[in-house]
DNA sequence: CTAACATTAGTAAGCACTCACTAACATGTC
DNA sequence: GACATGTTAGTGAGTGCTTACTAATGTTAG
C-alpha cells in the first residue's frame, strides 16, 4: 500500500518570500494576542517552525518586524475602504447603506480580530507607525461614510449635521461595540449582535434624517 | 554660618500606608504610559524615589502590584457612577441630562487619561481583574443611562428602543471619541470637542425620541 | 558546485526578585 | 531629658534566569 504522493509534508525549506510572509503572519497572530513585548523571538520562531536566526535573516531587529506587520495590516485596511466605497456606489437607500456598512465593519473584525487588537496595542505603545495604521485603517472608512452624509445633507434629506462628526458618531457606536466583543470579551450571540447593529443603525438614521 | 532649619528635605522615611499609596500612584502613571511589561521595577523604584526592595516590602510580586492598581482604579470608578446617578436625580430634561452625562464622561477622562489607557492595557493583556475593572468602570455608567432610557420609553417619550443597546450606542459614540483623543492622539481643541459632543448628543436624542 | 536556507550553540545585557545589613523612629525606664 | 530596646523603613550589591541577537557551521535545491 503505497502512500499517496500528495501528503503535504510541511515544507522545511521555503523560498525567501514565502518564509517572510509566514513570519509576518505568525507575528500578527502572536503580537495581537500577547503584545509586542509579551512575545519572545523564541515563541515566534517556534510558531513559524524555524529557529530564531531565520527571523533575523528577514528582519534585522524585532521592532523592524513590528513595523512590517503594521504596514502589512495597514495595506490590508485598504480593502475595507474599497468595500465601503463599493457599497456607496450601489446607490442603496440610506437604511440599506448604513446596514451594509455596519455589517462590513463587524464582519471585518470578526473575520480577523487581530486587526483591532494590534491597532490598540500599537497606539498604546506609541509606535511610530501607529498613526499611519489609524490613518489607513480607520479614517478611510470614516471618510466614505462622511461623504455620503455630506451628500444627503446637501440634498436636504438629512439635518445639517457636521458630516465628519456624524461619521465619528456612527463608527464610534459600532467600533466600541466591536471592541467590547473582541477586546473586552463581552459575549454576544449572532442574533444579539444583529439586533444591536440594527438598533444602532436605526437610532443613527432617525438621528440625522429630517 | 548655620544652615536654616526649615529646608524641606523630601521626606526620606514614610509611614507604610503613605509609601504604599505613593507606589500605587507611580505605578498607575508608568503602567498607563508604557504598559505592565514595558515598565521595569527599576524605573518604578526611581519614580517613587526609593530602592527596588522597598517595592517588594509592599507587594510580593510585580503582578500583585498590577492587581492592586486595577483594584484602586476600579474603586475610583464608583465615583463616576455616583456622579451619573446624581445627574439622573436632578430631573433635568432629556437634552440637559444627556449633555450632562457626555460632559461627565469626557471630563472624567480628560482629568486622568491613565484610566482609559489602563483599562485597555489590562483588557489586551487578559488580566484576571480586567473584567472586574470593566464591570465597575464601564457598566455602572451604562446602567444609569439605560435606566433613564427605559423610563422614558415607558413614559412614551422615546421610541421603544432596547435601553441597553441604546446605552451602548451612546456610550460608544462618546467612548470612541474620547479614546481617539487619549489613545490615538487625535488633536481636538476645546471648542471642537464641545461641538462634537453637542452634535452627538443631538443625533442620539433625535434618534431615540418619538 | 554553490548559493541560499537553515541550525546549533552560544553571548552580553536586562529582568524580577533577594540577602545581609543599616538608619530612623517609638516607647518605656530611670 | 537621656538612654537602652524593639520595630519599622530603608539600602547596596548581588542572584539566577530570560531576552534579543549572533558567529560558526551544516544541508539541500537547482
Amino acid at each position: 500500500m503505497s502512500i499517496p504522493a500528495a501528503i503535504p509534508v510541511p515544507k522545511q525549506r521555503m523560498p525567501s518570500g514565502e518564509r517572510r510572509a509566514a513570519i509576518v503572519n505568525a507575528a500578527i497572530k502572536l503580537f495581537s494576542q500577547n503584545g509586542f513585548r509579551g512575545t519572545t523571538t523564541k515563541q515566534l520562531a517556534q510558531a513559524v517552525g524555524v529557529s530564531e536566526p531565520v527571523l533575523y535573516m528577514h528582519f534585522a531587529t524585532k521592532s523592524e518586524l513590528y513595523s512590517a506587520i503594521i504596514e502589512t495590516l495597514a495595506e490590508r485596511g485598504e480593502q475595507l475602504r474599497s468595500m465601503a466605497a463599493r457599497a456607496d456606489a450601489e446607490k442603496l437607500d440610506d437604511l440599506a447603506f448604513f446596514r451594509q456598512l455596519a455589517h462590513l465593519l463587524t464582519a471585518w473584525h470578526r473575520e480577523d480580530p487581530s486587526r483591532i487588537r494590534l491597532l490598540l496595542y500599537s497606539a498604546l505603545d506609541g509606535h511610530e507607525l501607529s498613526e499611519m495604521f489609524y490613518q489607513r485603517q480607520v479614517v478611510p472608512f470614516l471618510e466614505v461614510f462622511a461623504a455620503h452624509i455630506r451628500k444627503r445633507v446637501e440634498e436636504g434629506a438629512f439635518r445639517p449635521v457636521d458630516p465628519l462628526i456624524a461619521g465619528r458618531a456612527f463608527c464610534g457606536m459600532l467600533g466600541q461595540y466591536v471592541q467590547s466583543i473582541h477586546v473586552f470579551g463581552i459575549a454576544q450571540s449572532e442574533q444579539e449582535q444583529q439586533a444591536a447593529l440594527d438598533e444602532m443603525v436605526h437610532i443613527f438614521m432617525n438621528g440625522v434624517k429630517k
Side-chain angles (χ1 to χ4, degrees), chain A:
Chain A
M1 221 218 283
S2 72
I3 295 166
I7 288 178
V9 172
K11 235 196 279 185
Q12 298 202 344
R13 223 182 135 86
M14 268 187 198
S16 186
E18 258 177 68
R19 181 64 82 201
R20 191 188 150 99
I23 293 172
V24 167
N25 285 331
I28 287 174
K29 191 173 170 197
L30 285 177
F31 286 177
S32 77
Q33 280 167 5
N34 311 100
F36 174 68
R37 288 186 243 247
T39 305
T40 67
T41 51
K42 193 175 176 180
Q43 281 180 297
L44 190 50
Q46 255 168 7
V48 180
V50 296
S51 60
E52 287 181 78
V54 173
L55 307 180
Y56 290 91
M57 294 170 58
H58 297 274
F59 303 94
T61 62
K62 191 186 167 192
S63 61
E64 196 175 284
L65 175 55
Y66 195 11
S67 297
I69 74 172
I70 292 183
E71 268 167 12
T72 302
L73 285 178
E75 278 164 31
R76 290 185 197 166
E78 303 285 324
Q79 286 176 24
L80 190 61
R81 188 217 180 93
S82 69
M83 284 193 289
R86 211 174 310 140
D88 190 39
E90 278 180 42
K91 303 290 172 200
L92 306 163
D93 61 71
D94 292 322
L95 183 63
F97 176 65
F98 291 156
R99 290 176 86 153
Q100 179 69 15
L101 281 202
H103 175 75
L104 224 55
L105 194 74
T106 46
W108 175 255
H109 287 299
R110 182 175 32 237
E111 183 187 295
D112 183 0
S114 51
R115 292 188 261 249
I116 192 172
R117 296 178 59 90
L118 268 170
L119 185 61
L120 282 170
Y121 261 126
S122 70
L124 287 168
D125 287 348
H127 190 280
E128 45 171 8
L129 292 181
S130 147
E131 198 194 324
M132 185 268 282
F133 195 5
Y134 184 82
Q135 289 294 329
R136 288 170 71 177
Q137 176 90 28
V138 179
V139 175
F141 188 80
L142 221 136
E143 274 170 355
V144 170
F145 197 80
H148 182 95
I149 308 249
R150 185 175 296 114
K151 200 182 61 191
R152 297 294 283 152
V153 168
E154 280 165 10
E155 290 172 4
F158 288 172
R159 294 189 300 111
V161 293
D162 179 319
L164 242 148
I165 296 178
R168 276 202 188 279
F170 187 67
C171 296
M173 303 194 299
L174 299 177
Q176 201 78 327
Y177 184 65
V178 165
Q179 190 173 299
S180 69
I181 292 171
H182 295 295
V183 177
F184 292 101
I186 305 304
Q188 296 271 288
S189 72
E190 194 68 34
Q191 289 102 319
E192 280 173 312
Q193 288 191 30
Q194 199 50 58
L197 292 184
D198 272 357
E199 186 78 273
M200 288 182 187
V201 166
H202 269 98
I203 289 174
F204 183 77
M205 265 284 289
N206 281 307
V208 292
K209 81 171 180 211
K210 247 187 182 136

